[in-house]
Amino acid sequence: MTPARDFGPHSRHAQLPPRSGERFASPHIVATPKGKVVYTADGRELVMRSIEPGDMPAVQRCFKRLSPQDVRRRFMHAMSELPTPMAQRLCRIDPEWEAAYVLMDETVKPAELRGVGRIFVDEAANSAEFSVLVEREWTRIGLGALLMQQLVDECRRRGLSELWGYVLMENRPMLELCRELGFVAKMVPGEAGTAQISLRL
Ligand SMILES: CC(C)(COP(=O)(O)OP(=O)(O)OC[C@H]1O[C@@H](n2cnc3c(N)ncnc32)[C@H](O)[C@@H]1OP(=O)(O)O)[C@@H](O)C(=O)NCCC(=O)NCCS
């Protein structure tokens, strides 16, 4: 992986991973008080910021828009609904052990969640487990890579030595995204359809 460029904390640019096919230019980022405003190459605008308890209704609406395949790929099993206690749990994070970044579409009312990436820290292993999700109609414009880069930056800020996650073997988009970002994959013993993806930091 090409070393991430350091533009400094006040730069208008975030550290972005190199892209493979250059089918789309990387999103353009502008830092503002309410978060990073993300401009995609096809003209869409989102705000990237930390998740908040008040995001719960948006998280639940986003879940309802997901296909069964996306739900299975994100949660590793089928779920017909997102139970309220789980939605609350996803939005009320403990910042000591967790970080979660949302991509909010504020061009609509109410604002809708189009993507989210999160980590859970394992202090004993000095590592963090990731998960990431981008709503289907917002995929292939660099948002998954942007969220993953944000998680990598967050892990480095915390001094962690590894970022890892489970990915279904049939999940070619995620495996390809991780491969581009320099993650390596290994099989999970006893789980034929699952790979463990990890990046040394
Ligand atoms: C996997 C996922 C996060 C990718 O998000 P995305 O916003 O489309 O990703 P990007 O646009 O940043 O794509 C980055 C790279 O990933 C790869 N990629 C993404 N989607 C792909 C697809 N459908 N087929 C092949 N490669 C794909 C490409 O290499 C792409 O780079 P390129 O566009 O320069 O070729 C999204 O599809 C998703 O949320 N899926 C459902 C949930 C999930 O699988 N989560 C992962 C497990 S936690």
Side-chain angles (χ1 to χ4, degrees):
M1 185 186 176
T2 310
R5 292 161 294 166
D6 186 359
F7 293 104
H10 305 298
S11 166
R12 295 170 69 233
H13 303 274
Q15 292 181 2
L16 293 171
R19 311 302 305 283
S20 63
E22 295 299 331
R23 277 193 292 276
F24 296 100
S26 298
H28 179 70
I29 316 291
V30 178
T32 72
K34 65 176 179 178
K36 291 178 180 171
V37 180
V38 177
Y39 299 97
T40 67
D42 65 350
R44 292 185 258 183
E45 184 182 323
L46 293 162
V47 176
M48 182 163 63
R49 59 162 171 78
S50 292
I51 203 163
E52 298 167 356
D55 291 328
M56 201 183 86
V59 166
Q60 288 182 306
R61 288 196 302 276
C62 179
F63 184 89
K64 288 199 177 106
R65 293 193 296 271
L66 298 178
S67 68
Q69 183 188 55
D70 284 344
V71 170
R72 203 176 57 255
R73 286 176 169 182
R74 162 60 183 85
F75 295 96
M76 310 300 282
H77 52 83
M79 286 167 66
S80 56
E81 62 175 52
L82 185 64
T84 300
M86 189 172 176
Q88 277 169 340
R89 173 74 196 83
L90 290 173
C91 296
R92 280 184 197 279
I93 60 168
D94 179 345
E96 197 174 345
W97 307 117
E98 299 168 61
Y101 297 95
V102 290
L103 288 168
M104 297 303 296
D105 177 4
E106 297 188 350
T107 66
V108 292
K109 287 250 178 304
E112 296 293 357
L113 188 148
R114 304 303 186 194
V116 56
R118 66 176 64 236
I119 54 167
F120 289 91
V121 175
D122 178 345
E123 190 186 22
N126 198 41
S127 69
E129 180 179 0
F130 71 78
S131 65
V132 65
L133 172 79
V134 175
E135 186 177 332
R136 185 63 64 98
E137 285 182 11
W138 291 71
T139 57
R140 298 315 298 264
I141 51 174
L143 299 176
L146 179 69
L147 286 168
M148 290 300 289
Q149 184 65 54
Q150 182 77 9
L151 299 181
V152 168
D153 292 348
E154 177 63 24
C155 287
R156 290 195 172 128
R157 196 183 65 73
R158 292 171 181 249
L160 300 174
S161 55
E162 187 179 26
L163 177 61
W164 64 274
Y166 292 119
V167 178
L168 296 177
M169 293 296 293
E170 53 83 14
N171 191 351
R172 190 173 147 255
M174 189 60 191
L175 291 174
E176 187 56 31
L177 167 56
C178 288
R179 194 188 59 76
E180 274 194 20
L181 296 179
F183 284 70
V184 292
K186 64 176 183 196
M187 300 303 295
V188 178
E191 296 274 352
T194 308
Q196 186 172 0
I197 306 292
S198 63
L199 180 72
R200 299 297 301 176
L201 300 169

